Amino acid sequence: MRKREEPHTRCSECPIREMALFEPVDQEQLDWTQRARSAQLVIPARRHLYREGEVSNEAYTLFDGWVILYRSLPNGKAQIMRFALPGDFLALHPDHDGPRTHSAQAVTQSTVCVFPRGELVEMLHTHPKITMRLNWIHTRDMTTCQEHLLGIGRKSAEERIAFLLMELFQRMRLRGKADGNRIAFPITQEHIADAVGLTVVHTNRIMRQLRDAQLIDCSRQSLTILNEKGLAELGNFRLDMVEMRHLI
Amino acid sequence: MRKREEPHTRCSECPIREMALFEPVDQEQLDWTQRARSAQLVIPARRHLYREGEVSNEAYTLFDGWVILYRSLPNGKAQIMRFALPGDFLALHPDHDGPRTHSAQAVTQSTVCVFPRGELVEMLHTHPKITMRLNWIHTRDMTTCQEHLLGIGRKSAEERIAFLLMELFQRMRLRGKADGNRIAFPITQEHIADAVGLTVVHTNRIMRQLRDAQLIDCSRQSLTILNEKGLAELGNFRLDMVEMRHLI
DNA sequence: CGGGTATTTGACGACTGTCAACGCCAGTGG
DNA sequence: CCACTGGCGTTGACAGTCGTCAAATACCCG
């Protein structure tokens, strides 16, 4: 899994964009956030942002692109923990200075904003609202991880994939990055397989089933949900809880 | 899964024991912690502490007993997210006032300390060290959950069960609750199956293999690790990382 | 001792993995 | 322009892990 890579580009003086992720927060916090930012990084596709075992004190906000967070076993098998989408935080562990417990690799070219960990700690002491926000994010991430666990442990291949596709679609939609029922879809079937705990071959067969059942259309780097209700039911995806779950 | 239950007993004036969980913290924080505690609860075996979907503002510290945290699917299948052991926190989400995302059920009779959520929030604002501690706990829980995910997604039945048994043994040992290479082991094979994402029948077969291979001896509510190194290797359990991972 | 729960086993089937090959497509270089 | 190449998607045949069904045995507690 995962092949060639190229070096990043660091550009400390990139224009600063809006931090949708810290919403809702007040202006004071937004200002703080922008001051704490030290640099933006542009990462080419396939490049690792960091790897399991490395020691680093940087946390990130993903501005643009898709990044996978994964862990791997000595035998080479890998499990994707999460697909990070624009607006997501990476390595947000203000008090953890041990080695990274997972790897982060860009799927597409990606732009991240770098936060020195020390400033995050500083923030916890001086900005209680951001502290609450961080806790909220941790709580949501934990819930999402547990939902993922439930899926891999107790759902069939079909259900897991249907759920994942719905999840990615809804998350993109909440970010305003859906074009009707279609989203850009830069990941490969191997990524999907690594996320749901199946092999590429079997993943391919299930994808075909979903296509044959007129639930999705997945080709040319884009995913179209042809039957949202059907796909949601198949994957046990609670459409009524989208807002609260993936609220940015 | 999960059968008969009995009501809890609330005893607000139980003697207060030491809060090992908040270590290392200074005395001021320990005092605060003890003041914030509102009551202790004794929960009979099989009783639920709370259920998925319920709304509540209580968080807990488990003093004694084993509690399972799980989620279930409409079809009745359940996935255990975590075995809570003495000293663990439950429902530690200071900023989350929505419905619970998982259920908590006592395996053995258990004693918990109850914290009103409002006091937790208060604490975040006034005790930065405890805030850091909470973040540390979240980080550790997240890492553990991801490790669990990796196991269920990418390990064989044998590896998953070996890993789980090692994990439970080491966690008990760190709590000083191991008698040499033996621990009290109140869970059933159904619990193990629900934790590793297998059926009871298949779990039983794997347990037999482990026994036949002289790796463990599991009977009469106790688990003995006969070959620690062998079991760890089989489950890809990093013996050298026990301390940092499950540090209380 | 009796009833309910937990553990075990066997037989069988299905879901998922493995191995291997082929097609498709885009980028590359002659 | 076209062959060439590597990455990805797709299929078929087959094996094996794991699930299902069913039943017997063992265990615990009143």
Side-chain angles (χ1 to χ4, degrees):
Chain A
M1 151 180 196
R2 329 284 170 229
K3 292 105 187 181
R4 59 189 151 76
E5 299 189 9
E6 301 159 41
H8 326 147
T9 308
R10 186 177 286 258
C11 52
S12 307
E13 302 308 330
C14 291
I16 292 179
R17 307 185 211 171
E18 192 187 347
M19 291 280 302
L21 255 236
F22 274 111
E23 296 302 347
V25 296
D26 59 35
Q27 192 56 40
E28 170 207 12
Q29 291 163 47
L30 192 58
D31 290 347
W32 183 90
T33 300
Q34 299 193 339
R35 246 177 292 120
R37 164 181 323 171
S38 69
Q40 285 195 11
L41 229 48
V42 175
I43 308 157
R46 294 163 173 286
R47 213 322 182 166
H48 276 78
L49 181 54
Y50 53 83
R51 286 171 191 274
E52 194 173 338
E54 287 176 6
V55 175
S56 161
N57 281 302
E58 290 184 341
Y60 312 87
T61 302
L62 179 57
F63 276 141
D64 193 63
W66 287 44
V67 171
I68 54 171
L69 309 185
Y70 70 95
R71 292 192 57 157
S72 36
L73 251 13
N75 65 16
K77 292 183 180 176
Q79 172 67 44
I80 292 179
M81 305 294 158
R82 183 157 70 96
F83 289 96
L85 304 183
D88 284 351
F89 284 111
L90 287 73
L92 200 58
H93 302 314
D95 48 355
H96 177 68
D97 43 341
R100 317 217 94 128
T101 57
H102 62 270
S103 304
Q105 183 189 36
V107 175
T108 63
Q109 171 175 306
S110 303
T111 306
V112 301
C113 158
V114 184
F115 291 87
R117 196 108 68 177
E119 306 216 17
L120 268 179
V121 172
E122 175 69 23
M123 178 182 81
L124 288 181
H125 292 166
T126 54
H127 296 261
K129 281 186 186 169
I130 290 194
T131 297
M132 292 305 287
R133 180 85 185 132
L134 272 177
N135 269 298
W136 188 92
I137 290 170
H138 280 153
T139 302
R140 184 205 53 180
D141 287 350
M142 193 69 191
T143 301
T144 302
C145 185
Q146 292 185 345
E147 188 134 35
H148 194 174
L149 196 55
L150 173 64
I152 293 193
R154 293 306 191 194
K155 285 181 185 169
S156 69
E158 204 176 32
E159 294 173 300
R160 294 183 220 176
I161 292 182
F163 186 94
L164 176 63
L165 298 181
M166 272 308 281
E167 183 183 5
L168 291 174
F169 173 71
Q170 298 297 345
R171 286 173 66 195
M172 288 296 274
R173 199 165 60 75
L174 284 177
R175 274 150 233 254
K177 290 177 183 291
D179 172 17
N181 57 351
R182 197 178 107 262
I183 59 172
F185 200 68
I187 61 178
T188 67
Q189 294 190 347
E190 183 180 5
H191 288 127
I192 297 177
D194 283 338
V196 299
L198 297 170
T199 57
V200 191
V201 176
H202 201 242
T203 297
N204 179 291
R205 294 194 170 105
I206 304 293
M207 295 285 286
R208 153 164 283 293
Q209 278 182 221
L210 297 182
R211 233 176 308 142
D212 290 350
Q214 303 285 316
L215 293 171
I216 62 168
D217 174 29
C218 184
S219 56
R220 285 160 297 129
Q221 306 272 88
S222 89
L223 169 69
T224 306
I225 306 293
L226 299 176
N227 180 348
E228 183 168 9
K229 193 155 173 297
L231 191 63
E233 278 172 11
L234 181 56
N236 256 296
F237 187 94
R238 299 283 304 274
L239 279 175
D240 54 324
M241 292 183 66
V242 170
E243 303 296 330
M244 67 165 296
R245 258 215 303 246
H246 299 300
L247 194 61
I248 296 186
Chain B
M1 154 182 192
R2 330 283 168 229
K3 290 106 187 182
R4 57 189 152 77
E5 299 189 11
E6 301 160 39
H8 327 145
T9 309
R10 187 177 286 255
C11 52
S12 308
E13 302 309 331
C14 290
I16 292 180
R17 307 185 210 169
E18 191 186 348
M19 290 280 300
L21 254 238
F22 274 112
E23 296 302 346
V25 296
D26 59 36
Q27 193 54 40
E28 170 207 11
Q29 290 163 47
L30 192 58
D31 289 348
W32 181 91
T33 300
Q34 299 194 340
R35 244 177 293 120
R37 165 180 321 171
S38 70
Q40 284 195 11
L41 229 50
V42 175
I43 309 156
R46 295 164 171 285
R47 213 321 183 167
H48 276 78
L49 181 53
Y50 53 83
R51 288 171 190 273
E52 195 174 337
E54 288 176 5
V55 175
S56 162
N57 281 301
E58 291 184 341
Y60 312 87
T61 301
L62 179 57
F63 276 141
D64 194 63
W66 288 43
V67 172
I68 54 172
L69 309 184
Y70 71 95
R71 293 192 56 158
S72 37
L73 251 14
N75 65 16
K77 291 183 180 176
Q79 172 68 44
I80 293 179
M81 305 295 159
R82 184 156 71 94
F83 289 97
L85 303 184
D88 285 349
F89 284 111
L90 287 73
L92 198 58
H93 303 312
D95 49 354
H96 177 67
D97 43 343
R100 317 217 94 128
T101 57
H102 62 269
S103 303
Q105 183 189 35
V107 174
T108 62
Q109 170 175 305
S110 303
T111 308
V112 301
C113 158
V114 185
F115 291 89
R117 195 108 66 176
E119 306 216 16
L120 268 180
V121 173
E122 176 70 22
M123 178 182 82
L124 289 180
H125 292 166
T126 54
H127 296 261
K129 281 188 187 171
I130 290 192
T131 297
M132 292 305 287
R133 180 86 185 131
L134 272 176
N135 269 298
W136 189 91
I137 290 169
H138 280 153
T139 302
R140 184 204 53 180
D141 287 350
M142 194 67 191
T143 301
T144 302
C145 185
Q146 292 185 344
E147 189 133 34
H148 195 174
L149 196 55
L150 173 63
I152 293 194
R154 292 306 190 194
K155 285 180 186 169
S156 68
E158 204 177 31
E159 296 173 300
R160 293 183 221 175
I161 293 181
F163 185 94
L164 176 63
L165 297 181
M166 271 309 281
E167 183 183 5
L168 291 173
F169 172 71
Q170 298 297 344
R171 286 173 66 194
M172 287 297 273
R173 198 166 60 75
L174 283 176
R175 274 149 234 253
K177 290 178 184 288
D179 172 17
N181 58 350
R182 199 177 104 262
I183 58 171
F185 201 68
I187 62 178
T188 68
Q189 294 190 347
E190 183 180 6
H191 288 128
I192 296 176
D194 283 338
V196 298
L198 297 170
T199 57
V200 191
V201 175
H202 201 242
T203 297
N204 179 290
R205 295 194 170 107
I206 304 294
M207 294 285 285
R208 151 165 284 294
Q209 280 182 220
L210 298 182
R211 234 177 306 142
D212 290 350
Q214 304 286 313
L215 293 171
I216 62 168
D217 173 30
C218 184
S219 58
R220 284 160 298 127
Q221 305 271 89
S222 89
L223 169 69
T224 306
I225 307 293
L226 298 177
N227 180 348
E228 183 167 9
K229 192 154 174 298
L231 191 63
E233 276 172 13
L234 181 56
N236 255 297
F237 187 94
R238 300 283 303 274
L239 279 175
D240 54 324
M241 292 183 66
V242 169
E243 303 296 330
M244 67 165 296
R245 259 213 303 246
H246 298 301
L247 194 59
I248 296 185

